[in-house]
Amino acid sequence: MQFSLQEFLTLTFTLFAVIDILGSIPMLISIKQKPGGINSLKVTLISGGLMVLFFFVGKPFLNLLGVDIRSFAVAGSIVIFILGLEMILGIEFFKPEQGAPSGTVVPIAFPLIAGSGTLTTIMSLKATFERSDKNEYMILLAILANLLVIYLVLRSLNLIEKVLGKAGLMAVRKFFGVILLAIAVKVFATNASGLIK
């Protein structure tokens, strides 16, 4: 297993942008203030479990549905592109269900952290890596790195809010939105050519 620092940082940064834990801080703070609060460790473990499960079981599940891995990667790139637009424009395309209960699993672990965007990105990255003969297990290392960041952010919500402020959080969100658009275009370009005949 060959370790590439550049690939590791690229993957970690990509997942960090999709998960957008910093952009979720205002929502997390409001949930933290409710009775029961947030169990940082439990949230991290559940969301991590979902990501790792999807990494291993995602492809067989797609095969069961008869969906090609490239098709999924292209569909994933579109979802990532829309998420990027959401972050830049401040428009909500993916509206949460009304009356969904607050809690550790819903909506924090899923869909806030390990949501459709994150799971789709993991599958899209895996598809791209398989096609280029790169070490796909680098994605697992990137997931673990992000879980560490998620845990630290959840433990430090109040401090982060004070340091960044509302303007700072908005700037970070828009910056990562642009990064997501670029990632989406790259994933689309890598996988779309094989689908069009």
Side-chain angles (χ1 to χ4, degrees):
M1 177 170 157
Q2 191 176 358
F3 179 82
S4 167
L5 182 61
Q6 184 180 350
E7 279 182 10
F8 171 71
L9 291 175
T10 301
L11 289 168
T12 303
F13 196 71
T14 300
L15 284 174
F16 184 76
V18 176
I19 293 167
D20 187 31
I21 191 70
L22 294 181
S24 302
I25 286 174
M27 190 185 298
L28 289 170
I29 288 169
S30 66
I31 294 171
K32 190 180 178 74
Q33 291 166 351
K34 292 179 181 178
I38 297 174
N39 185 328
S40 304
L41 183 61
K42 194 174 179 182
V43 168
T44 306
L45 291 175
I46 292 172
S47 54
L50 286 170
M51 290 185 225
V52 172
L53 181 70
F54 209 73
F55 175 84
F56 285 109
V57 184
K59 189 176 179 181
F61 180 68
L62 288 179
N63 290 339
L64 190 67
L65 296 175
V67 178
D68 179 60
I69 195 79
R70 284 188 185 182
S71 303
F72 188 86
V74 169
S77 71
I78 295 168
V79 173
I80 298 166
F81 189 86
I82 294 170
L83 285 169
L85 285 179
E86 268 194 350
M87 292 163 72
I88 294 169
L89 303 176
I91 300 170
E92 193 176 37
F93 292 105
F94 300 109
K95 299 185 185 297
E97 289 184 26
Q98 295 297 318
S102 297
T104 296
V105 179
V106 180
I108 304 172
F110 181 86
L112 205 58
I113 295 172
S116 58
T118 305
L119 300 179
T120 302
T121 302
I122 289 168
M123 278 299 299
S124 299
L125 289 171
K126 191 176 180 185
T128 305
F129 266 49
E130 283 178 354
R131 287 189 60 237
S132 59
D133 293 326
K134 292 181 180 178
N135 187 355
E136 62 188 52
Y137 288 99
M138 292 287 288
I139 300 168
L140 281 178
L141 293 177
I143 290 172
L144 291 174
N146 272 280
L147 290 175
L148 179 61
V149 173
I150 289 165
Y151 178 73
L152 292 174
V153 167
L154 290 173
R155 295 284 294 176
S156 318
L157 281 176
N158 296 331
L159 179 63
I160 292 168
E161 185 189 26
K162 286 177 185 175
V163 172
L164 289 178
K166 286 186 178 179
L169 287 173
M170 191 176 293
V172 168
R173 189 174 175 83
K174 291 189 183 301
F175 172 74
F176 281 115
V178 174
I179 298 296
L180 279 191
L181 291 182
I183 291 164
V185 170
K186 185 179 179 182
V187 172
F188 184 89
T190 305
N191 295 279
S193 58
L195 295 176
I196 304 167
K197 296 178 182 178

